[in-house]
Amino acid sequence: MCGITAYVGNDNALPFLLQGLVKLEYRGYDSAGVTIIDSANKINTYKAKGRIKNLEELLEGNHVEGKIGIGHTRWATHGVPSNLNAHPHTNNTYTISIVHNGIIENYQELKKDLIEKGYHFNSQTDSEVVVHLLDYYYHGDMHEALKKVISIIEGSYALCVVHNDNPNVIYITKKDSPIVLGRTQTASLAGSDIPAILDYAKDVYFMEDGEIAVLTKDDITFYDADDKLIQKELIHIPYDNEAAQKGGYDSFMLKEIHEQPYVIKETLRGRVENGDRVVLPELDAIHDKLPSYNKAYFVACGTAYHSSIFGASVLEKLAGIPTITQVASEFRYNDPIVDENTLAFFVSQSGETADTMAALRLAKQKGATTIAIVNVLGSSISREADYTIYTLAGPEIAVASTKAYTTQIVVMELVAMYIAQALNRNSYDYRKLIEGLSSLPAYLEEILKDEEIFKGYAKLLEHERDCYYIGRGLDYASVLEGALKVKEVSYIHADAYVAGELKHGPIALIEEGSIVIAVATQPNIASKTISNIQETIARGARVVLFTIEGLDVQGVENTYILPNVDQLLQGILVAVPLQLIAYYTAVFKNCDVDKPRNLAKSVTVE
Ligand code: M6R
């Protein structure tokens, strides 16, 4: 996710802008840039692909000085990482400069319109429309122009704007993307996150959606969404920078678990039309070819393999295409039956996993149409696949994957609906499914409020050496992922089984006090799983059950009822409690949750 810094004051802006960007490095980025307005009121913009030190080297040679400026680190979402796509973006006459975090959903239509009006675009980004719109609506008053522009753009944004007509003022606004402001004795500052400004200001202002802030070296003036002058309260930040980078959470894993409502919203943004149609321009090139595919593959490793099991099932159900899921390290050596009638999905958070990459190359060689579902823009897998659809989870820093998993499933639901709609398969109520997807962030917020309950379930695991996860159908993917999380971060041996398989062997392991974590969310088979649970209880197991309302769960020691959403979406909801159980078990055992032993975030070797 991108980072923003802004400074107007008595001193040179550059040191603050750069140190703020460095403080935001933990969020991940692929390019960086700054705009400084100098004493001759000239807008000077410098951008560099790669690390902040590349930008610093560029600036060193240019002796940049000025008391007002904006800075940005970009995590690419629209357009590859490059100097041109890096922020700040300037208008064609170099009088206005902006930095933007978020996604402008309606940028394509706005861009078309602006090009017709004669504007020239330098980048592939969605953000650049904002600066040209500001140029178009600016008639001497940037506050007014900004109000007009935010009434036109759709999506999420934190925006900082400077104009050389008024070289002592920064204008800031936001919607669904954070921005935090602060004051020193001689300057006004802003950052997209607290760490950017915390070394300068311990008391900060948080902006609300629709508000506009006007920053000068002497003060900050706030206007509400109705353009009324308002007084905002200063909030004291009681923690240090290291804690601030984790958003005040104890670890990146916990922060990333809590980010899921937000990143799911971001992943859905702009991908649904009229409440019942999926918009995936990434697949439009194969839209008419879709009836010719007679088979699909989902290929991935680890957590991405688990989301693939889920996604493959949804694709089969909605689109009716026989779909095989395979671990990438198996696929590449199994001589898979793949040809030009095969649609092959390669799923990866990092986009760099060696086995997944090798499997992708093999499938391409055999003639398949390859589609990457990845999180990191411009990553190797995204570059090599024929088509790429991005999850918009933002950088995932903890080694254990959490928000990448749920956003992968969200993308897979969209892909399955897109293909089903292209094939005119209308047996499912897409409007209901899309409504369900949109309701997920709110339901997840509710589930996250029950953290103490999941912490309690983790207590059951704390001193165990083994535990068992069971589920059927789509719930099997959930229990595989739940068990992997526990193994990874708490080093407890966790085995996941299809519940119906218990009696074919694993039930021999169940004894007095064994911990069984069960998921039963699929109405057609939930009661079957509950019968399997009873079999384990009869042998002394202590059970934690995640299920839906209306089932007979008598005798189960711990039952958590999940919100009532479509059965194809329950896997996204239940993922969060399972992640929290793993997380707190690891915390109770004093494990290093963010960096579990023997594991790497990106596995680039075979
Ligand atoms: O970057 P990828 O999604 O391709 O990574 C795949 C696996 O290495 C990854 O999911 C791994 O299993 C995680 N540690 C799971 O938490």
Side-chain angles (χ1 to χ4, degrees), residues 87-123:
H87 298 216
H89 292 290
T90 42
N91 60 339
N92 293 156
T93 50
Y94 302 101
T95 54
I96 308 172
S97 181
I98 64 129
V99 288
H100 166 228
N101 280 5
I103 298 169
I104 307 298
E105 285 168 22
N106 56 341
Y107 83 100
Q108 272 165 324
E109 50 192 278
L110 293 171
K111 185 169 177 174
K112 194 165 154 269
D113 195 42
L114 286 160
I115 289 171
E116 279 167 14
K117 288 190 167 89
Y119 284 93
H120 170 73
F121 279 73
N122 292 305
S123 76

Side-chain angles (χ1 to χ4, degrees), residues 300-305 347-353 356 381 396 398-402 404 408 481 484-485 488 599-603:
C301 303
T303 287
Y305 169 67
V347 186
S348 173
Q349 187 286 128
S350 62
E352 302 295 346
T353 301
T356 311
I381 290 173
E396 199 180 57
V399 167
S401 191
T402 53
Q408 280 159 1
E481 178 55 12
L484 176 65
K485 286 286 89 73
E488 279 188 293
L599 295 177
K601 184 64 186 161
S602 180
V603 186

Side-chain angles (χ1 to χ4, degrees), residues 44-178:
N44 302 279
T45 297
Y46 299 89
K47 321 196 233 191
K49 188 180 162 193
R51 314 308 297 168
I52 292 172
K53 90 170 160 27
N54 301 351
L55 175 67
E56 284 171 337
E57 280 164 16
L58 178 70
L59 289 163
E60 262 166 37
N62 282 283
H63 308 292
V64 186
E65 284 200 357
K67 295 177 176 176
I68 175 167
I70 52 180
H72 194 263
T73 41
R74 174 171 187 257
W75 162 269
T77 58
H78 292 70
V80 293
S82 70
N83 282 358
L84 283 180
N85 288 335
H87 298 216
H89 292 290
T90 42
N91 60 339
N92 293 156
T93 50
Y94 302 101
T95 54
I96 308 172
S97 181
I98 64 129
V99 288
H100 166 228
N101 280 5
I103 298 169
I104 307 298
E105 285 168 22
N106 56 341
Y107 83 100
Q108 272 165 324
E109 50 192 278
L110 293 171
K111 185 169 177 174
K112 194 165 154 269
D113 195 42
L114 286 160
I115 289 171
E116 279 167 14
K117 288 190 167 89
Y119 284 93
H120 170 73
F121 279 73
N122 292 305
S123 76
Q124 303 159 313
T125 64
D126 53 328
S127 309
E128 196 183 341
V129 294
V130 175
V131 76
H132 298 309
L133 282 173
L134 286 167
D135 179 279
Y136 184 73
Y137 288 108
Y138 177 74
H139 306 293
D141 185 341
M142 185 50 79
H143 188 147
E144 284 303 313
L146 189 56
K147 270 171 27 193
K148 180 69 190 171
V149 170
I150 61 178
S151 73
I152 294 170
I153 55 176
E154 290 164 15
S156 59
Y157 47 83
L159 276 171
C160 297
V161 182
V162 288
H163 194 306
N164 70 349
D165 267 3
N166 205 350
N168 309 309
V169 186
I170 302 171
Y171 298 89
I172 298 184
T173 188
K174 73 156 291 252
K175 178 175 165 265
D176 292 344
S177 188

Side-chain angles (χ1 to χ4, degrees), residues 259-457:
E259 276 172 359
Q260 289 176 103
Y262 174 74
V263 297
I264 285 174
K265 220 182 198 173
E266 289 302 290
T267 299
L268 284 170
R269 201 178 277 286
R271 286 173 162 165
V272 168
E273 206 173 66
N274 301 330
D276 66 352
R277 281 211 83 75
V278 171
V279 186
L280 282 179
E282 300 91 328
L283 296 187
D284 285 351
I286 56 164
H287 183 275
D288 295 344
K289 209 183 152 199
L290 286 170
S292 71
Y293 297 109
N294 56 23
K295 183 203 299 177
Y297 264 98
F298 272 83
V299 182
C301 303
T303 287
Y305 169 67
H306 298 153
S307 66
S308 292
I309 293 176
F310 199 100
S313 219
V314 176
L315 182 67
E316 266 194 352
K317 188 169 178 61
L318 297 188
I321 301 176
T323 307
I324 301 160
T325 318
Q326 209 161 57
V327 166
S329 55
E330 291 293 299
F331 179 93
R332 64 186 288 194
Y333 294 117
N334 268 357
D335 194 15
I337 302 172
V338 169
D339 58 23
E340 58 284 354
N341 296 320
T342 307
L343 198 53
F345 294 90
F346 297 85
V347 186
S348 173
Q349 187 286 128
S350 62
E352 302 295 346
T353 301
D355 283 321
T356 311
M357 180 63 145
L360 161 66
R361 287 183 178 151
L362 176 67
K364 265 185 108 166
Q365 210 183 317
K366 285 177 173 256
T369 300
T370 56
I371 299 173
I373 297 178
V374 299
N375 193 39
V376 178
L377 200 132
S379 53
S380 306
I381 290 173
S382 76
R383 292 200 308 273
E384 288 219 15
D386 295 319
Y387 307 99
T388 297
I389 307 167
Y390 289 106
T391 49
L392 292 167
E396 199 180 57
I397 293 164
V399 167
S401 191
T402 53
K403 58 180 181 167
Y405 174 75
T406 45
T407 53
Q408 280 159 1
I409 295 182
V410 167
V411 165
M412 289 168 189
E413 304 267 359
L414 293 171
V415 167
M417 269 191 274
Y418 178 95
I419 296 177
Q421 291 181 328
L423 298 178
N424 289 320
R425 285 179 59 94
N426 294 316
S427 52
Y428 216 83
D429 186 344
Y430 299 123
R431 183 170 286 278
K432 197 170 144 255
L433 193 53
I434 287 171
E435 264 170 32
L437 276 170
S438 315
S439 71
L440 291 175
Y443 282 130
L444 287 175
E445 296 284 6
E446 288 305 307
I447 289 174
L448 283 164
K449 286 184 193 151
D450 290 335
E451 199 158 335
E452 284 302 314
I453 297 178
F454 312 132
K455 213 168 167 175
Y457 298 161

